Amino acid sequence: NIGRRMAVLFAEEGANVAICTSRNMDGLDATASEIERTGAKVLARQVDVTDPEAVDGFVGAAHKEFGRVDVVVNNAVYRSEGDLLEEPVDAWMRNIAVNLHGPYYMCKAAVPHMIDAKWGRIVNFSGIAPFLGSYPGKSMVKLGIVGFTRGLAKQYGEHGITANCI
C-alpha cells in the first residue's frame, strides 16, 4: 500500500501526518499506530474524498491540530475496468468523483493554507493507463489528473507551491 508507506516515511522524517480513508478503517488504524510509534503526531479520519464538506472538515482539523498544512498527497483511487458499454453509469460517475473531484476538493481546502505559508507541496497520482490504452474510464481520469497537476503548478508556483504527478 503506497499511501501507508508514504505516510510512515513522512513520519519517520519528522512530519506530523493526517491520513484518511473512505472505508478501510482497520488499515487506517494500523497505519496510525505505526506512525505513532515513530513519535510523530497523527490525525486519522474516515473521509469520503467525494464529499467537499467532509474534505474541508478533514483539512481544517489537520490545520487546527498541526498549525499548518504543508504537503497534500492525493492517493485515493477508484478502480474502474471492464467493458465501457457494460459499466453502469453510477460506477462511471464514482470513478470521476474519486479520481478527479477528490483531488480538486483536497487542493481547494489545502491550497489556501499553503498560500498563507508561502510554501506547499502537492503530489498527485496518475499512472501509465492512458498510454497503454487501458479501460477508457481509467485512462480518462489518469490523464485528467496530469492536466490538473500541471494547472496547479502553473497557477500556484508563484506562492512557493509545487505540484507534481507520479
Side-chain angles (χ1 to χ4, degrees), residues 4 21 23-32:
R4 180 180 194 159
T21 187
R23 290 184 294 226
N24 185 2
M25 291 307 295
D26 290 339
L28 189 73
D29 291 340
T31 302

Side-chain angles (χ1 to χ4, degrees), residues 11 15-16 34-41:
N16 294 317
E34 194 172 346
I35 290 167
E36 287 172 339
R37 285 193 294 274
T38 71
K41 292 181 186 175

Side-chain angles (χ1 to χ4, degrees), residues 28-94:
L28 189 73
D29 291 340
T31 302
S33 294
E34 194 172 346
I35 290 167
E36 287 172 339
R37 285 193 294 274
T38 71
K41 292 181 186 175
V42 62
L43 173 73
R45 294 255 173 102
Q46 186 171 10
V47 178
D48 180 349
V49 298
T50 69
D51 178 346
E53 290 177 8
V55 171
D56 281 343
F58 174 67
V59 173
H63 187 264
K64 183 177 180 182
E65 176 75 17
F66 305 131
R68 57 194 303 155
V69 175
D70 295 325
V71 178
V72 170
V73 177
N74 287 307
N75 189 42
V77 65
Y78 178 84
R79 287 174 175 64
S80 61
E81 297 180 358
D83 187 303
L84 176 71
L85 300 179
E86 294 176 9
E87 181 176 34
V89 171
D90 61 329
W92 176 266
M93 298 306 282
R94 182 74 180 165

Side-chain angles (χ1 to χ4, degrees), residues 77 99 125-127 129-130 137-146 165:
V77 65
N99 293 305
F125 279 79
S126 176
K138 182 176 184 178
S139 295
M140 171 193 61
V141 296
K142 297 303 183 180
L143 220 70
I145 203 68
V146 171
C165 193

Side-chain angles (χ1 to χ4, degrees), residues 59 72 106-116 122 152 156 161:
V59 173
V72 170
M106 197 64 73
C107 288
K108 191 164 174 88
V111 166
H113 298 296
M114 295 175 176
I115 290 172
D116 288 345
I122 300 165
L152 288 169
Y156 296 108
I161 300 168

